[in-house]
Amino acid sequence: MLNHDFALKLFDYLYGQVDGYTVSHDARRDLVDKNDLLYGELPVETWLQIVERADPKKDGVFVDAGSGTGRIVMMAHLFGEFKKAIGIELLAGLHNKACEIEEIFARDLRSQISDHVANREVEFLCKNIMDHDFHDVDFVFMNHPFKDREAFDFLEQKFLRELKKGTKIVTIIRALKHPAFKQLGSQKYNFSWGESTAYFHEV
């Protein structure tokens, strides 16, 4: 695992000048319902606290469902020990920014930490999370779940069909309710918009 301060320096190099809120605003310009998809960011320390509590499988597959500019995926890659970190984002503008940052990482930084990232992958997908196959995933993170309860319930059913036993899931603001999910408690953390609750689950 990378030294914390060095990993933070690399992350700041990638995202220090990125205004995710402006990118999100521009990406949603042509949407009919601009309030259905929300955007928010996690400080690095909040992410590290959440991962520590979730205790996901080492060398597992991580998915950020609604990955925005890719911040959390790159946090998982730099600070974590996942064999693969995947970001799934519906909006092309946000997805394109994530890909742009990943290219900067590959060009400017990857060689500096080649031992750490050897055999570890980053992938950004521009698609609806309902169309993704979650069968091989070990840890799922959802920052802003759907505002529409019906859509969130549909996602729960998808998780039940596809996620394997032992998969950890963290949702912010709204918890999974189906009894098939083991509830692992909740905790409040600091986010870019203020304090919110993270809910911890296991299949």
Side-chain angles (χ1 to χ4, degrees):
M1 186 176 293
L2 287 180
N3 171 272
H4 175 276
D5 291 341
F6 183 52
L8 186 60
K9 181 179 179 181
L10 298 181
F11 184 79
D12 285 343
Y13 179 86
L14 295 172
Y15 284 96
Q17 303 301 316
V18 176
D19 183 350
Y21 286 90
T22 297
V23 177
S24 176
H25 177 270
D26 292 344
R28 291 187 286 177
R29 184 174 293 147
D30 296 328
L31 292 181
V32 174
D33 186 354
K34 293 180 172 57
N35 295 318
D36 190 49
L37 298 175
L38 302 175
Y39 182 83
E41 296 180 349
L42 279 72
V44 169
E45 294 308 319
T46 294
W47 168 247
L48 294 177
Q49 291 165 15
I50 287 173
V51 172
E52 181 177 16
R53 169 147 186 178
D55 191 25
K57 174 185 174 182
K58 184 178 179 180
D59 292 325
V61 175
F62 165 70
V63 166
D64 182 12
S67 53
T69 60
R71 286 172 57 92
I72 293 174
V73 172
M74 293 310 299
M75 286 182 200
H77 193 53
L78 292 173
F79 293 90
E81 296 181 282
F82 300 100
K83 71 177 181 182
K84 189 170 187 178
I86 302 170
I88 304 173
E89 175 55 50
L90 180 64
L91 298 180
L94 287 166
H95 167 75
N96 291 340
K97 175 58 70 172
C99 292
E100 176 186 320
I101 291 169
E102 197 278 329
E103 290 174 1
I104 293 171
F105 168 76
R107 183 192 69 208
D108 298 348
L109 304 180
R110 188 178 182 87
S111 63
Q112 299 181 42
I113 55 172
S114 56
D115 289 344
H116 172 73
V117 297
N119 302 316
R120 299 185 186 278
E121 299 178 58
V122 169
E123 183 176 20
F124 290 109
L125 304 172
C126 188
K127 64 193 297 188
N128 190 315
I129 62 174
M130 298 298 187
D131 298 328
H132 187 71
D133 185 341
F134 285 85
H135 281 93
D136 65 346
V137 177
D138 301 287
F139 182 32
V140 179
F141 181 81
M142 272 194 86
N143 189 3
H144 273 297
F146 298 104
K147 294 176 70 176
D148 183 343
R149 182 73 223 190
E150 185 176 345
F152 190 64
D153 291 343
F154 186 84
L155 181 64
E156 280 198 13
Q157 293 302 316
K158 179 178 175 64
F159 283 168
L160 288 172
R161 291 192 304 271
E162 298 182 7
L163 290 176
K164 59 192 175 186
K165 183 178 180 181
T167 297
K168 302 289 182 68
I169 311 163
V170 176
T171 58
I172 309 303
I173 301 175
R174 176 179 283 171
L176 299 171
K177 296 297 186 182
H178 197 282
F181 296 110
K182 181 180 180 181
Q183 303 298 319
L184 302 178
S186 62
Q187 188 168 332
K188 290 186 179 296
Y189 295 96
N190 292 318
F191 297 84
S192 61
W193 62 89
E195 191 175 68
S196 287
T197 301
Y199 297 92
F200 297 80
H201 320 78
E202 182 177 346
V203 179

